């Protein structure tokens, strides 16, 4: 069965520290998509990135970077030089198609960045 | 574009009352999703529509829940009768396609007392 595990429930760092949020997924499908979303204290969910199962290239966007490794079924998210505004809950999600598509979200990792 | 618009932002109702949540998706997005978020169960997909047609409602918890999408720019999620365990944040989201990232609305925080 498909599964998304975000083992880190909460992480607390001091501003300017680098932090990596882990995401491990399980699926038997060969075609799937992985996502990261951010939920700041205001409550809305913001899409950050999508990766398909055939594209293992890492991606960097400003202070954010993502490392996708099929060999370990992981899609980790690193924030470099964290800032207070990065404080949020971050969700990893897995989407696949089997006669209709399904999406499941991980439980989320709450990140506290202290000034 | 104003994004996905949900109303109301907050709703407090008494047990047994009917509750209607509303959503306006982004124009041109063919997919619309209703999610529920609780501390215990996290984010759960309730139902999704493709081109206004309900495709998968397997996440709808009970017959008390119903959703409609009468046109491409409007959807409702109705709970009748409401119960305290329905208290949650309900999100509407839309997307160009099922494998694209979703744009979420601000959510409706529902409290049933």
């Amino acid at each position: 069965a498909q599964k998304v595990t975000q083992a880190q429930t909460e992480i607390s760092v001091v501003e300017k520290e680098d932090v990596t949020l882990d995401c491990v997924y399980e699926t038997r499908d060969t075609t799937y998509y992985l996502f990261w979303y951010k939920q700041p204290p205001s409550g809305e969910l913001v899409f950050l990135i999508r990766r398909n199962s055939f594209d293992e290239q890492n991606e960097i966007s400003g202070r954010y970077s993502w490392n996708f490794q099929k060999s370990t079924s992981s899609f980790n998210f690193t924030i470099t030089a964290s800032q207070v505004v990065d404080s949020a809950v971050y969700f990893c999600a897995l989407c696949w198609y089997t006669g209709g598509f399904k999406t499941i979200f991980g439980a989320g990792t709450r990140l506290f960045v202290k000034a | 574009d104003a994004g996905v618009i949900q109303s109301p932002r907050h709703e407090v109702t008494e047990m047994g009352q009917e509750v209607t949540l509303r959503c306006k998706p982004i124009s041109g997005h063919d997919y619309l999703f209703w999610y529920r978020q609780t501390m215990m169960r996290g984010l759960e997909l309730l139902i999704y529509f493709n081109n206004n047609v309900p495709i998968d409602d397997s996440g709808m918890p009970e017959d008390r829940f119903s959703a409609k999408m009468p046109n491409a720019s409007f959807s409702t999620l109705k709970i009748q009768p409401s119960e305290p365990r329905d208290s949650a944040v309900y999100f509407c989201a839309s997307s160009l396609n099922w494998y694209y990232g979703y744009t979420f609305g601000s959510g409706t925080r529902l409290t049933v007392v």
Side-chain angles (χ1 to χ4, degrees):
Chain A
Q2 280 77 358
K3 189 177 179 182
V4 175
T5 301
Q6 294 182 255
Q8 303 150 307
T9 305
E10 288 187 2
I11 300 176
S12 184
V13 299
V14 177
E15 210 171 18
K16 297 184 182 176
E17 282 186 25
D18 298 347
V19 57
T20 295
L21 310 181
D22 298 332
C23 174
V24 174
Y25 63 93
E26 294 178 26
T27 180
R28 292 182 179 178
D29 293 86
T30 56
T31 301
Y32 53 88
Y33 295 82
L34 295 162
F35 303 82
W36 275 96
Y37 288 85
K38 173 182 180 180
Q39 187 173 38
S42 53
E44 75 276 16
L45 282 147
V46 179
F47 164 69
L48 296 178
I49 190 171
R50 175 192 71 162
R51 238 331 152 248
N52 73 55
S53 52
F54 298 107
D55 182 2
E56 283 194 77
Q57 280 190 336
N58 292 332
E59 176 145 347
I60 298 175
S61 175
R63 296 183 297 105
Y64 295 173
S65 62
W66 291 269
N67 184 301
F68 176 31
Q69 291 194 335
K70 289 178 71 173
S71 61
T72 56
S73 296
S74 65
F75 186 41
N76 296 337
F77 173 27
T78 297
I79 302 174
T80 302
S82 59
Q83 299 177 1
V84 173
V85 293
D86 296 326
S87 297
V89 181
Y90 291 87
F91 293 94
C92 181
L94 169 68
C95 184
W96 71 98
Y97 191 93
T98 306
F101 84 89
K102 297 286 186 183
T103 300
I104 54 172
F105 283 77
T109 296
R110 184 176 297 274
L111 175 65
F112 294 99
V113 181
K114 295 178 286 188
Chain B
D1 202 318
V4 175
I5 300 172
Q6 289 187 248
S7 64
R9 289 296 307 273
H10 302 274
E11 177 81 33
V12 180
T13 190
E14 291 185 349
M15 183 174 62
Q17 296 297 306
E18 178 180 295
V19 176
T20 299
L21 311 182
R22 296 172 175 79
C23 175
K24 176 179 168 54
I26 290 176
S27 176
H29 281 191
D30 291 336
Y31 284 77
L32 183 139
F33 312 88
W34 283 100
Y35 276 86
R36 179 171 68 176
Q37 184 178 36
T38 60
M39 289 295 293
M40 290 298 295
R41 301 176 67 90
L43 278 159
E44 304 173 277
L45 176 64
L46 300 177
I47 185 172
Y48 79 89
F49 295 83
N50 179 24
N51 292 321
N52 314 339
V53 176
I55 303 300
D56 184 354
D57 65 355
S58 59
M60 298 284 262
E62 299 172 31
D63 290 344
R64 298 184 296 105
F65 286 71
S66 63
K68 293 182 179 179
M69 191 165 185
N71 56 63
S73 58
F74 184 65
S75 177
T76 59
L77 177 68
K78 186 177 293 186
I79 308 173
Q80 166 63 20
S82 57
E83 296 183 3
R85 59 191 166 126
D86 301 331
S87 297
V89 179
Y90 290 81
F91 286 101
C92 175
S94 69
S95 178
L96 283 168
N97 209 323
W98 63 270
Y99 49 84
Y100 278 58
Y102 304 161
T103 301
F104 282 82
S106 299
T108 295
R109 181 173 297 275
L110 173 65
T111 303
V112 183
V113 298

